[in-house]
Amino acid sequence: MIFLAISGIITYFYQDEVSLYLVEELNEQVSSNIEVGKVKFSVLKKFPKASIELEKVYASPPAGYFARVNQHPTDTLFYAQSIFIQFNLMDIFNRNYHITDIHLNRGDLRLLVDHLGEPNYIFWETPGENKKSEVSIDLKGVKITNSNLLYYNDITKTTLITSIDHLDFEGNFTHQNYLMKISTDMFVDQLAVEEIEYLEHKKVQADVKLNIVGEVNHIEDGLLTIEDLKFNISGDLHRGDSKKINIGVTGSHLPLKSVLKHLPSSVVKDFPAVQAQKGEVSVNLHIAGDDIRVDRPLIDADFKVENARIYDTRRGLEIQDFNAEGSFTNGEQKDPASTHIDFKNVKAILGSSKLKGQVALTNLYDPSVKMELFAELNFEDIHRFFSKDTFALLKGFAETHLKFHGKYAALQQLKFSDLFTSSYSVDLTLADAAFQYKGNPVRLEDINGNIELNRNLKAENLTFRIGDNDFIIDGYISKLYDYFQHQKMFHVNARLSSHYINLDQLSTLIKKKDKDHEAMVYRLPERLALSLKLDIRNFEVGKFMAQNIRGDLNYKPRMISLHQISFNSMDGYVKAGGVITQKYNHDFLVHMQSRLNEINIQKLFRSFNNFGQNFISNQNLKGSLTGEVFFSSEWNDRLKIDKKTVLSENDITLTNGELIDFEPMSGLSKFIDVQELRHIKFSTLKNQITIKDEKVFIPQMDIESSAINIAASGIHGFSNDFSYRLKVLLSDVISGRLKRSVRRHSEYENIEDDGLGRTTLFLLIEGNPDDYKVKYDRKAAREELKQNIQQERTTLKKIFREEFGWGNTDTTGEKSNEGSASESFEIKWEEEQEKTTGENETINHSEQKFIIEFEEDTIQ
């Protein structure tokens, strides 16, 4: 009670005097303008020390300071709801005040350094030598509670915004050498250098002991806690003119889960779905600078990650046994642009894939990455790294050597096409891989071999399969990036080998759906260029099969060219070349030239579906075909031939030929036994056959067959209308006729040729397979007779000239009146039933579809 009374008495008598005096003295020793709303003197609030409480204190920066530093106004140095200034109680009586403690509560401090390096918070002035002051600073403690602090340095571009729960400084501040204890508990809203935020919304605690010797603050024992991460601090801080700093920060066996959680937002935003499940991080950080007021310090660090397990929730991806050693530096410029981070001895397991290598990161503003990885990959583990629109199928294994040098943003948005840029170098040794690009029907399976990617793709002994088709590739594919990224053309220059190719299965490569008619049409690729050397053991398309195909295939948009293609097929050998072009109306123009050697004609007709006609088929032909064939035509985009455009020149020889059940030959059944005509054999047939205007033109050729010797020519239309001209020996006709009669009348034996000899019979077969007739070809007979007469005249002239020495007088040129052969004639055949129809003899058989007529005429 006595104590309270004494306190009240002292307060009553000394409040105004002490308050007024101390405020005046403080204003004398500061360079800024300080306004105080209310002053209170108290003995009890800070007992055993007396105190003055300044309420609603406002301080402006020193006079002449810039009105704004960056975006921060400088009109206020600090504002406080209350500031307690403490001193010894006995100082009141001897009027010599020693301020020992200052306590700022509920304040708002704005500490700024302008672009010239001048701070706004140096406002205390030391009294002059001639001026004595009865107020001295003998601080033992400074406390800030429940306050906000903004610090911004315009030179280092450093920003600190924090809410201070408490910040305590304890020490004999007026001594030259002393021990200071610093304790703080605050919430850091932002700690940023340049545009990089290193701390954001983090709780920070610190307990530090400073051994202050002269101008050097030596950190003897320091503990910094950021959330649940604890770091030891040691080093030196210089309080002289240079403000030199040399500090070390270490953290051992920090939980990786917490480290990732508290990484700067500028880093975390690139890995929003990455979480650490286990693992430890150790870091050793060194901060050094000559004058941190005007220059950023150099920051170097070593770190180590051990036994980490990381999970990517977005991709559903887990990385196990992640280990790495690394280093960090903010570089020569001491800013994010010169920052360099190295990850060395990186090891990790991704599913069943194993990785090791090193990664370097530079420039935090626009990060660049330099990476080299060695991996044993399971493609299913990395499938999810690519965008969902890239692959429909990716599986298999590969030993991989990957190099990347480029922007981190490009690596973050990695697409398959990016692998073909100069930023990447990839060496893959593939095993049992499969690949299908999304939206493309082609699926590559059983991929084995070596691939090098460095803008171009180099394949070495690369094997793969598409359906039943197998391929071996040695060569280059260039400009794939332009193809995938910009839909431009890529180039293939390679040797292609295969045991089996079925072109029907590969037709999906060039088949598309017609938008107008919803039908499948063929389109040659627009963005592909090929130069292939072929070595194909077995080839198949439709019914056509070939073996040992060799030669060159070149392709550029809309045009396929074949050079020196050779192969075995249809029991023979073929050399061919040609060009297939797709015009802008999508029709195909085909030009082919082939040299055939001993081709089985029956298999030839079967392989090409009897060339689109059914009059003479592979069932009607046998033999070995040799010759040269030129062929050109146009096809629509559904591969239907335009018959009007077919043009072909064929110089052929058919050996050991057979004509089987060829119906027009049955028209001669009245001359030769039908059984013999059903299967005609001949040794050699030569001719030059032309196809044009939807017709097949067959020049005259001699068929020396087992049944009958025939000289034949003709025209066969694509509509199956035909006209064949035949020349046969009458002796063969009569011989065949009598032989047939003998078989019908067994009483005749050993009937011989009647000796009519070399008389020739001309026949014309016209019509179509359903309605045709055989008749005497008087036009051909007349032309033959004229040629014979002319030949005889020439021969006689030569004989007379040689035998009798006649000159050049031509007596044979006179017209000869040899009479006319106007008399009609008949040829009658013995039959079981004969029917004469007058002057013209017509032989009709109801079983046959044809008519044989002998026309009367006068041959001149």
Side-chain angles (χ1 to χ4, degrees):
M1 189 72 179
I2 296 175
F3 173 75
L4 292 176
I6 295 173
S7 299
I9 293 171
I10 295 174
T11 301
Y12 178 80
F13 285 103
Y14 288 95
Q15 174 177 344
D16 292 338
E17 178 185 349
V18 173
S19 298
L20 180 62
Y21 182 75
L22 284 176
V23 170
E24 288 178 351
E25 284 296 319
L26 288 174
N27 269 312
E28 286 289 330
Q29 296 189 35
V30 298
S31 59
S32 62
N33 181 34
I34 297 179
E35 299 177 5
V36 180
K38 189 176 182 180
V39 181
K40 294 181 180 180
F41 175 77
S42 174
V43 174
L44 296 177
K45 279 189 177 183
K46 300 292 181 178
F47 187 83
K49 293 186 178 181
S51 65
I52 293 178
E53 181 182 2
L54 308 178
E55 293 185 349
K56 297 182 179 179
V57 180
Y58 166 80
S60 61
Y65 199 76
F66 289 101
R68 183 176 293 273
V69 175
N70 202 329
Q71 79 273 22
H72 304 291
T74 63
D75 55 338
T76 300
L77 173 60
F78 68 84
Y79 171 83
Q81 284 289 328
S82 61
I83 297 178
F84 292 92
I85 300 174
Q86 301 176 47
F87 50 91
N88 292 325
L89 186 60
M90 297 304 296
D91 292 345
I92 297 174
F93 302 107
N94 55 28
R95 293 181 176 274
N96 189 5
Y97 300 98
H98 300 279
I99 298 175
T100 61
D101 297 274
I102 296 176
H103 177 197
L104 185 150
N105 185 44
R106 291 185 295 168
D108 188 0
L109 295 84
R110 299 184 179 183
L111 310 181
L112 306 173
V113 179
D114 63 25
H115 66 283
L116 299 177
E118 295 294 331
N120 70 339
Y121 48 82
I122 303 300
F123 60 90
W124 197 270
E125 293 184 351
T126 303
E129 294 181 359
N130 299 326
K131 184 177 181 180
K132 281 191 174 183
S133 173
E134 294 179 351
V135 178
S136 63
I137 305 296
D138 189 14
L139 284 177
K140 301 293 190 297
V142 175
K143 179 181 289 187
I144 300 174
T145 57
N146 305 316
S147 298
N148 297 322
L149 169 67
L150 164 67
Y151 172 82
Y152 177 74
N153 189 320
D154 199 34
I155 293 180
T156 62
K157 306 298 181 185
T158 301
T159 302
L160 173 64
I161 301 175
T162 182
S163 300
I164 300 173
D165 181 39
H166 75 85
L167 174 60
D168 297 332
F169 299 90
E170 296 181 13
N172 294 317
F173 299 129
T174 56
H175 294 186
Q176 184 175 4
N177 301 323
Y178 64 94
L179 182 66
M180 178 188 292
K181 295 180 180 180
I182 302 174
S183 175
T184 184
D185 190 344
M186 65 179 67
F187 188 83
V188 177
D189 290 291
Q190 182 184 35
L191 173 60
V193 178
E194 297 281 353
E195 300 174 2
I196 306 299
E197 294 186 356
Y198 292 96
L199 287 179
E200 187 177 17
H201 309 308
K202 304 299 178 191
K203 184 179 180 181
V204 176
Q205 295 175 310
D207 287 292
V208 178
K209 292 180 181 179
L210 293 179
N211 188 4
I212 299 175
V213 179
E215 294 183 346
V216 178
N217 299 339
H218 179 67
I219 303 174
E220 289 186 342
D221 185 13
L223 178 64
L224 174 66
T225 303
I226 302 174
E227 295 289 339
D228 57 345
L229 302 175
K230 297 182 182 298
F231 300 91
N232 295 315
I233 305 175
S234 62
D236 296 325
L237 296 170
H238 289 249
R239 294 182 292 111
D241 295 335
S242 64
K243 304 299 182 187
K244 189 176 180 180
I245 185 173
N246 187 359
I247 294 178
V249 180
T250 60
S252 299
H253 305 292
L254 304 174
L256 178 62
K257 186 175 183 178
S258 295
V259 172
L260 291 181
K261 181 180 178 181
H262 302 314
L263 282 175
S265 60
S266 57
V267 176
V268 174
K269 69 181 178 62
D270 295 326
F271 308 96
V274 174
Q275 299 177 355
Q277 296 176 318
K278 73 171 189 175
E280 294 180 338
V281 177
S282 298
V283 61
N284 187 3
L285 179 70
H286 182 235
I287 304 172
D290 292 333
D291 192 342
I292 60 174
R293 292 177 306 171
V294 297
D295 189 18
R296 285 183 289 264
L298 176 66
I299 302 175
D300 294 315
D302 296 323
F303 58 86
K304 187 175 184 179
V305 182
E306 297 178 282
N307 303 320
R309 184 166 64 196
I310 303 170
Y311 191 70
D312 188 333
T313 58
R314 181 165 62 89
R315 296 185 177 95
L317 185 68
E318 186 178 65
I319 299 176
Q320 298 179 332
D321 293 336
F322 180 85
N323 293 270
E325 299 175 358
S327 62
F328 170 94
T329 179
N330 61 353
E332 292 183 359
Q333 300 174 14
K334 304 172 185 177
D335 66 3
S338 62
T339 296
H340 188 93
I341 305 174
D342 271 330
F343 292 86
K344 300 176 181 178
N345 299 322
V346 177
K347 295 180 181 179
I349 294 177
L350 176 64
S352 57
S353 301
K354 297 180 180 180
L355 301 92
K356 63 180 181 179
Q358 54 192 18
V359 180
L361 181 70
T362 57
N363 188 356
L364 298 184
Y365 290 138
D366 185 14
S368 294
V369 176
K370 187 175 182 180
M371 176 171 58
E372 183 174 14
L373 294 178
F374 298 87
E376 297 175 9
L377 290 180
N378 183 337
F379 285 134
E380 292 183 1
D381 296 329
I382 66 171
H383 187 184
R384 62 200 75 182
F385 274 105
F386 297 100
S387 64
K388 294 181 180 179
D389 295 331
T390 302
F391 291 113
L393 174 68
L394 181 63
K395 66 179 184 178
F397 303 91
E399 292 184 0
T400 307
H401 181 195
L402 169 66
K403 292 182 180 180
F404 171 78
H405 192 187
K407 295 297 184 181
Y408 172 71
L411 188 63
Q412 227 183 353
Q413 302 295 327
L414 175 63
K415 299 185 291 296
F416 182 64
S417 59
D418 296 331
L419 296 177
F420 303 101
T421 66
S422 58
S423 299
Y424 291 86
S425 175
V426 184
D427 191 317
L428 296 173
T429 300
L430 300 164
D432 301 324
F435 160 85
Q436 184 177 9
Y437 199 69
K438 203 147 194 175
N440 193 313
V442 180
R443 174 181 291 196
L444 278 66
E445 300 178 288
D446 295 336
I447 308 173
N448 294 272
N450 181 259
I451 292 177
E452 294 180 16
L453 302 180
N454 190 357
R455 291 191 65 85
N456 299 328
L457 184 153
K458 179 184 178 183
E460 184 175 347
N461 199 31
L462 178 67
T463 65
F464 59 91
R465 179 174 54 83
I466 302 176
D468 296 326
N469 304 269
D470 64 271
F471 300 89
I472 305 174
I473 299 289
D474 286 282
Y476 294 87
I477 303 177
S478 58
K479 300 188 178 180
L480 280 170
Y481 176 80
D482 294 329
Y483 171 76
F484 285 113
Q485 190 73 15
H486 304 296
Q487 301 301 303
K488 293 185 178 180
M489 187 166 61
F490 70 95
H491 300 259
V492 179
N493 189 327
R495 180 179 183 85
L496 186 151
S497 304
S498 175
H499 292 91
Y500 175 74
I501 291 180
N502 187 321
L503 201 57
D504 295 324
Q505 294 183 8
L506 300 177
S507 63
T508 54
L509 292 170
I510 57 175
K511 263 187 178 181
K512 292 184 179 180
K513 183 172 286 188
D514 189 340
K515 296 179 181 179
D516 298 328
H517 302 92
E518 295 296 320
M520 297 303 294
V521 295
Y522 289 85
R523 296 285 189 271
L524 293 180
E526 292 283 355
R527 298 183 298 275
L528 170 64
L530 286 172
S531 180
L532 297 178
K533 289 190 175 298
L534 304 177
D535 185 0
I536 302 171
R537 297 282 184 86
N538 296 282
F539 178 84
E540 186 174 344
V541 56
K543 297 178 182 178
F544 173 75
M545 291 183 289
Q547 299 80 39
N548 301 320
I549 297 178
R550 291 181 175 85
D552 297 330
L553 183 150
N554 294 317
Y555 176 82
K556 61 182 181 179
R558 296 178 174 268
M559 187 170 72
I560 302 171
S561 59
L562 303 170
H563 300 280
Q564 297 296 320
I565 300 294
S566 64
F567 55 88
N568 298 105
S569 181
M570 301 164 288
D571 301 335
Y573 178 74
V574 178
K575 292 193 72 171
V579 177
I580 302 173
T581 305
Q582 188 166 37
K583 301 192 296 184
Y584 285 102
N585 64 356
H586 303 305
D587 287 349
F588 290 91
L589 181 60
V590 179
H591 296 280
M592 300 296 294
Q593 187 169 1
S594 305
R595 180 174 296 171
L596 313 178
N597 188 18
E598 297 184 356
I599 298 298
N600 186 316
I601 194 170
Q602 188 177 51
K603 293 184 178 180
L604 176 66
F605 270 66
R606 181 171 63 245
S607 297
F608 292 97
N609 295 314
N610 296 311
F611 300 97
Q613 53 83 41
N614 55 19
F615 178 52
I616 183 168
S617 71
N618 59 289
Q619 301 296 327
N620 304 122
L621 293 168
K622 285 186 179 180
S624 180
L625 185 66
T626 299
E628 293 188 357
V629 176
F630 169 80
F631 176 85
S632 70
S633 65
E634 292 190 26
W635 307 62
N636 66 14
D637 55 5
R638 295 175 179 84
L639 297 190
K640 182 178 180 182
I641 193 170
D642 182 358
K643 296 179 180 180
K644 294 184 293 185
T645 64
V646 174
L647 175 63
S648 181
E649 297 286 346
N650 309 276
D651 190 352
I652 60 172
T653 299
L654 184 63
T655 58
N656 299 320
E658 299 182 32
L659 191 60
I660 306 167
D661 291 332
F662 184 49
E663 195 159 0
M665 295 304 295
S666 298
L668 301 178
S669 61
K670 286 300 178 182
F671 311 135
I672 303 176
D673 185 83
V674 173
Q675 295 301 321
E676 295 177 354
L677 292 172
R678 285 186 178 278
H679 195 158
I680 300 174
K681 297 182 179 180
F682 47 90
S683 59
T684 303
L685 185 150
K686 293 184 179 181
N687 210 342
Q688 294 180 335
I689 298 174
T690 301
I691 303 174
K692 65 178 181 179
D693 300 330
E694 299 185 74
K695 295 177 182 179
V696 180
F697 296 90
I698 305 172
Q700 183 170 308
M701 57 184 173
D702 295 325
I703 305 174
E704 297 178 356
S705 71
S706 59
I708 189 171
N709 296 331
I710 300 173
S713 64
I715 300 174
H716 195 118
F718 286 4
S719 61
N720 271 347
D721 292 328
F722 54 81
S723 174
Y724 289 105
R725 298 181 182 275
L726 305 178
K727 184 171 68 172
V728 298
L729 296 178
L730 187 58
S731 60
D732 289 343
V733 173
I734 294 175
S735 173
R737 185 66 188 176
L738 290 177
K739 289 178 182 179
R740 196 174 109 147
S741 178
V742 167
R743 283 190 289 271
R744 292 187 178 182
H745 304 283
S746 59
E747 65 271 16
Y748 298 101
E749 296 181 1
N750 301 320
I751 302 298
E752 300 294 338
D753 191 302
D754 64 355
L756 293 178
R758 309 310 298 171
T759 303
T760 303
L761 187 64
F762 295 90
L763 301 176
L764 178 64
I765 306 176
E766 288 184 315
N768 57 61
D770 298 319
D771 182 18
Y772 63 88
K773 61 184 178 179
V774 182
K775 62 183 179 180
Y776 178 69
D777 189 358
R778 57 186 179 84
K779 181 180 179 182
R782 185 168 60 246
E783 292 297 327
E784 178 79 5
L785 181 57
K786 287 181 178 180
Q787 291 179 10
N788 290 341
I789 292 172
Q790 182 64 36
Q791 182 63 36
E792 289 177 2
R793 287 177 178 174
T794 303
T795 301
L796 287 172
K797 284 171 33 177
K798 183 178 179 182
I799 292 172
F800 286 143
R801 189 178 298 114
E802 292 176 353
E803 292 294 331
F804 303 103
W806 292 3
N808 295 326
T809 304
D810 187 358
T811 61
T812 63
E814 300 176 0
K815 272 193 175 182
S816 173
N817 188 4
E818 301 176 354
S820 63
S822 59
E823 299 83 10
S824 62
F825 65 92
E826 287 184 342
I827 300 176
K828 292 185 178 181
W829 311 106
E830 292 180 3
E831 293 283 343
E832 295 177 9
Q833 294 180 355
E834 285 183 77
K835 184 176 180 181
T836 304
T837 59
E839 294 180 354
N840 292 346
E841 159 140 339
T842 302
I843 303 173
N844 294 320
H845 288 274
S846 60
E847 298 84 4
Q848 300 179 186
K849 296 184 293 183
F850 54 81
I851 299 173
I852 299 176
E853 293 182 351
F854 287 178
E855 298 182 3
E856 297 179 351
D857 199 1
T858 300
I859 301 175
Q860 296 182 352

